[in-house]
Amino acid sequence: MTAIEVHQLYSQAFEQLKKGDYYIAWCTLERAELAIAAIMRNDADLYETVKDISFQIKRIQSIYPYKAFASTEILIKEQKCSICDSVRSIRNDCGHRVGYVYNGSLCANIVTNCELKSISIVTNPVHKYAVAFLNGSEGNSSDHYDYSILSALMKVWENPYKFWDYQITTKNSHPHLNFMLRL
Ligand SMILES: [Zn+2]
């Protein structure tokens, strides 16, 4: 199911990129990336079937203009195991490990009590969705990023399963990005 989800998320992100919904597509790609990481931990053979998508996601992410992200410091006061619902603590170890599959369910921590301590601006975030946006005039966030490289790519990229790579060359002392479509 997770492998099918990876393909669905990847195709969905492609459609969002086509529509110019760049931040939404960025978040969808992160969800696909997290699903791929779960597959990698649990099933090496299955990972082979999504490996190409994994590399393609990294290439797409690398041409996004995002450079600043918010990183939150959260004090977790209580969290539960998603498999057996027991409260996790140093003394109480239920034996289920986060990120591994038990009877078909992925184990996660469910935070039931926490406190936000601080927010820092970082360049290499744990959560990619935490992109820093400027404040808009009505208190909402405004997207000030330049997506011209992505929009140029989406004009020529017709099929999400037609993978591509790029090369950076220098022409008249300016860097140029050349896309190469592959079959
Ligand atoms: Zn447990």
Side-chain angles (χ1 to χ4, degrees), residues 114-170:
C114 68
E115 191 188 319
L116 180 63
K117 286 288 189 189
S118 69
I119 298 176
S120 325
I121 299 297
V122 298
T123 52
N124 193 9
V126 178
H127 305 295
K128 289 200 174 79
Y129 63 79
V131 177
F133 289 104
L134 291 180
N135 232 359
S137 50
E138 283 150 30
N140 52 344
S141 60
S142 106
D143 192 338
H144 58 288
Y145 290 99
D146 175 3
Y147 297 101
S148 52
I149 294 174
L150 273 168
S151 73
L153 166 73
M154 294 319 289
K155 281 186 191 127
V156 292
W157 191 20
E158 297 292 346
N159 176 344
Y161 287 92
K162 204 167 175 184
F163 295 139
W164 49 265
D165 204 345
Y166 64 82
Q167 228 177 18
I168 296 173
T169 54
T170 310

Side-chain angles (χ1 to χ4, degrees), residues 81-86 88 93-97 107:
C81 167
S82 68
I83 301 293
C84 66
D85 206 39
S86 65
R88 291 208 201 264
D93 181 10
C94 66
H96 298 122
R97 286 166 69 202
C107 180

Side-chain angles (χ1 to χ4, degrees), residues 92-104:
N92 179 19
D93 181 10
C94 66
H96 298 122
R97 286 166 69 202
V98 171
Y100 287 83
V101 173
Y102 297 92
N103 278 334

